Amino acid sequence: AEPIGIASGLVALATFAFQSSSALFDKFKATDLIKTRTDLTEELEGLTGVLRALVETLNANTDIELASLEYPLLRCANACKDFEEELKKCSTRSLAGKTSFRDWAKLKYIGEDIDGFRRMLASYKSTIIIALTDANLCVSLCILVIFTNANMLSSRQSSNVVDGLKSYKEMIETTTNDLETHLESIDEKLENIIAKNTRGTNTDAREI
């Protein structure tokens, strides 16, 4: 019963994240600042696709071990919902249905501009991809060993598998570097907040 409970909880979180990213994607596509929204729109489309695949995987495999994704999924979902609210505020201040470039330029989420938010989503997407790949890796390697020992794998197929593992390793290294950079940025923000409070400056609760 416990694994089933964990799996159902993950399905709910993954579905929540998928719905949040889909809603933000639709909202963002509707904005009129096409040139400045292209990168984020593409990132949201990729994230939504990965989340859809995650939901399908979890529904098809209740015994899959992806408990490590609970917090990233929750944060990803909340980030998309919060940013959608900021986008709505920006649209509300616009005139004649046109998004103000000034409001657009000031649009931020936890101190990050639009590109910073895009990088944050990219980190969530990569984390989910790695978790999905890792969950299936043991099975794939077992199959590889069986087929290799049975001489049922061609040299070309073996080479493709090796190339795939190299790409997976590179993705892990890149994502790790991105997450470490993001963590450093968060640490700097926290240090600034502490410094403000030490000087007696009122810090906005939302910023904290």
Side-chain angles (χ1 to χ4, degrees):
E2 186 177 351
I4 294 175
I6 293 173
S8 62
L10 279 174
V11 171
L13 280 173
T15 302
F16 175 39
F18 170 68
Q19 292 172 342
S20 298
S21 66
S22 296
L24 180 57
F25 175 63
D26 292 340
K27 180 71 177 177
F28 216 79
K29 276 204 310 182
T31 59
D32 50 284
L33 298 176
I34 298 176
K35 291 183 179 180
T36 56
R37 69 173 169 81
T38 301
D39 289 344
L40 182 52
T41 304
E42 291 176 353
E43 196 63 63
L44 278 167
E45 186 174 18
L47 174 64
T48 301
V50 169
L51 288 168
R52 182 187 294 110
L54 176 62
V55 172
E56 292 172 354
T57 300
L58 289 171
N59 281 320
N61 304 279
T62 56
D63 58 341
I64 194 168
E65 178 52 54
L66 290 172
S68 60
L69 284 181
E70 287 184 10
Y71 187 69
L73 285 172
L74 181 60
R75 284 295 310 125
C76 180
N78 286 333
C80 288
K81 286 184 68 67
D82 290 345
F83 199 82
E84 184 183 3
E85 289 302 315
E86 293 300 318
L87 194 59
K88 287 178 181 178
K89 292 177 184 177
C90 182
S91 301
T92 302
R93 293 190 295 266
S94 303
L95 299 175
K98 294 292 183 180
T99 308
S100 165
F101 278 94
R102 180 178 298 177
D103 288 338
W104 184 264
K106 292 190 296 184
L107 189 60
K108 291 184 181 295
Y109 175 69
I110 58 171
E112 297 283 355
D113 59 12
I114 292 175
D115 192 57
F117 180 72
R118 180 194 62 77
R119 292 195 300 271
M120 185 191 303
L121 295 184
S123 295
Y124 288 132
K125 183 182 70 176
S126 297
T127 300
I128 295 167
I129 291 173
I130 289 172
L132 278 171
T133 305
D134 188 61
N136 295 310
L137 191 57
C138 289
V139 175
S140 300
L141 288 176
C142 286
I143 293 174
L144 174 64
V145 170
I146 292 170
F147 274 58
T148 301
N149 291 339
N151 295 318
M152 296 174 62
L153 211 62
S154 67
S155 58
R156 182 177 179 181
Q157 288 173 319
S158 298
S159 177
N160 288 339
V161 172
V162 172
D163 289 342
L165 289 173
K166 286 181 179 178
S167 298
Y168 175 57
K169 180 182 178 182
E170 291 172 358
M171 181 173 63
I172 290 176
E173 291 173 350
T174 300
T175 303
T176 300
N177 291 333
D178 290 344
L179 290 172
E180 286 175 348
T181 300
H182 185 56
L183 180 59
E184 289 174 2
S185 174
I186 291 174
D187 286 340
E188 290 177 3
K189 289 184 175 69
L190 288 173
E191 288 176 3
N192 289 334
I193 288 173
I194 293 172
K196 287 180 181 178
N197 289 339
T198 302
R199 293 194 301 266
T201 306
N202 292 328
T203 304
D204 184 75
R206 182 172 177 80
E207 183 181 357
I208 296 174

